[in-house]
Amino acid sequence: MTSQAATGNLVRTQGVTAPAGFRATGISAGIKASGALDLALVFNEGPDYGAAAVFTRNQIKAAPVQWSQQVLTTGRLRAVILNSGGANACTGALGFQDTHATAEAVAAALSDWGTETGAIEVAVCSTGLIGDRLPMDKVLAGVTEIVHEMAGGLTGGEEAARAIMTTDTVPKQVALHHPGDWTVGGMAKGAGMLAPSLATMLVVLTTDAVADAQALDTALRRAAARTFDRLDVDGSCSTNDTVLLLASGASEITPSQAELDEAVFAVCDDLCAQLQADAEGVTKRVTITVRGAAGEDDAVVAARAVARDSLVKTALFGSDPNWGRVLAAVGIAPVKLDPQRIGVSFNGFPVCIDGAGAPGAREVDLSGADIEVVIDLAVGADSASIRTTDLSHGYVEENSAYSS
Amino acid sequence: MTSQAATGNLVRTQGVTAPAGFRATGISAGIKASGALDLALVFNEGPDYGAAAVFTRNQIKAAPVQWSQQVLTTGRLRAVILNSGGANACTGALGFQDTHATAEAVAAALSDWGTETGAIEVAVCSTGLIGDRLPMDKVLAGVTEIVHEMAGGLTGGEEAARAIMTTDTVPKQVALHHPGDWTVGGMAKGAGMLAPSLATMLVVLTTDAVADAQALDTALRRAAARTFDRLDVDGSCSTNDTVLLLASGASEITPSQAELDEAVFAVCDDLCAQLQADAEGVTKRVTITVRGAAGEDDAVVAARAVARDSLVKTALFGSDPNWGRVLAAVGIAPVKLDPQRIGVSFNGFPVCIDGAGAPGAREVDLSGADIEVVIDLAVGADSASIRTTDLSHGYVEENSAYSS
């Protein structure tokens, strides 16, 4: 799929290796019992190594998050090693040692290959079941193998995107080619635990633009606040959420901060749409837009309250235009609203006007896969949207049997 | 069922008419298409008429809530009329007129019967689908009929409890006979939209104790804060939640405030357990207890965050001891906790000790209908519990087809 963004072409057949200066691949290291791909490496060949990141706000942080937070304080990154098949969360001091040993092994293998690298230049990301130690014999053997494979010259962005999948059904990647001859690429995984202040989600973004750590940090925070932070599938927030942005400078072009912001936003926004469309058990892609709010924060809080409401989400699963549940959900949000003037529409059809039902509201057709809910709080001029999904039998099925 | 409370015997075969001085009944007024009971009346014969109430904190308040809030500013109540089959919420000015007309009709019928009553002494409660006007011809004819039926001498507490049911499968009532020769009775409905700051829920409590409106208000607020406010089935909060407490003084006994507090709490607590057990789609009765908190508010916030987490609730539906999801859920709550010392147990079995998995944690048997989750935040001495349920296929089924 190719589509036109404000800043250039979005191409979903390319990912983290679309920008110059990056290599990546994915292998099966045997961490997953199924034998599926489970180890990914993204490597920055330079000449620059600036990097930025945002991490989960969960107080319970997985070992790889604790490690990568330390690494990113340097604003510099040579490589990212990612595994599926285990979150390495709630694994105590030994789990942290496992993460550290993994970064050391990557650094050693890259150094052996001729690229002098320290562990402090290697971020680690893990995803899977919380609470179990990783099979470190397999992880460490896999690290040696994956560096050799990558050194062979493969630029396997799609293999990397496949290797980080858990309950995802499709790999998620996209690249944006800026008309100014530089590129931003990205890959993402995440299907459940998609929630506030980051979905459960691993995302690696790459660019060959020339940009220092500060410029990258600014662009990433601005983009994440309006994309990943506004994707809320089930209100759950993982212990492992990580979004990384690496710049190689290989294009030798220095975009303005505004250009970089816009390009990173476009890539994050597209990856978000892909995450939403592949969420666990999804049968409807739902966007909740709140407008007429007294401030943008109010709009986000109100839209999130509706996006998380189980009664709204089950009604939408049933294609039921039960707009009263939307009002009940938004009414409990701690935001300013006017009960006498509040309005709701489904797919552009007004179902509630001035706080009461509109003619024909019960007959609105919600049988399609996309549902747009717009709520007008009628007290101001600000707006915001949250992407979510319905609450289906599929979601219950998948999540009642995940670890068993 | 009869059980022993600290303050006396709890009897579930009796309800609002157990205390002296109260009459009640329920009839089919034709509001529900099914012909089931749908109109209830609770009448206080005095000699006292003190009353207290708590209402939904939802900003979108149904017409009967707006009306009853005005009535309760007087601290006095002669009667409560309740209907199922329609919430009369989001029905605009005409919906409010309908509620007002209903109260006027009850007052007129009671006055005709010889009990001079004003509309301002009549509370109105409604439950059902949001957004539709009530069939007022049927409601008003029903009011005349129900007052006649009640005047016939029936004390039909159970019929009243049945007439307020929506998706409830059983009527919920209980009475507590205090050894000091006074009684508190109650009835409740509510099966979904059971949430914070009141479940979607109608509750009428009665007592023949001598107690003024202030004493009743104190007892009711204390009890509600620790019972109904800590029942959270799906995080949703209705537009119609109402809890009323009426005192007839017919026992001529004046309990101490502490005695009244304790008795009202015991009745509310028992009704909560009944609401939890009959929640929509419930297959597990789950209690989330947080201890070791820095304050009781922190304990409530943390327990509620876990009680609302869809991934925890689906895991419990699958009898899956996936304790990592409990940590992920509590970690996002805005409370103080120690990630290195936090602990979790399921049904008394420690599954997480000092932030990491305990031996045998994946084998804990959760196949029974009752699950006790205890989380130790390890930072203080305060605790609180939230009652909730699992998230099942039954919940999704019932709520995706409610209005259709």
Side-chain angles (χ1 to χ4, degrees), chain A residues 183-203:
Chain A
T183 298
V184 178
M187 65 177 186
K189 68 79 47 179
M193 263 201 191
L194 289 176
S197 53
L198 296 190
T200 288
M201 203 178 56
L202 301 181
V203 178

Side-chain angles (χ1 to χ4, degrees), chain A residues 61-71 81 83 86-89 91-107 119-120 122-126 132-134 136 139-140 143 240:
Chain A
K61 293 183 204 305
V65 169
Q66 297 178 42
W67 169 259
S68 298
Q69 283 183 316
Q70 291 186 24
V71 169
I81 185 89
N83 75 276
N88 195 9
T91 45
L94 296 175
F96 188 80
Q97 288 178 23
D98 291 343
T99 290
H100 189 182
T102 304
E104 291 279 8
V106 171
I120 193 66
V122 180
V124 181
C125 301
S126 301
D132 290 338
R133 298 275 302 278
L134 291 171
M136 285 306 291
V139 171
L140 296 177
V143 163
N240 290 59

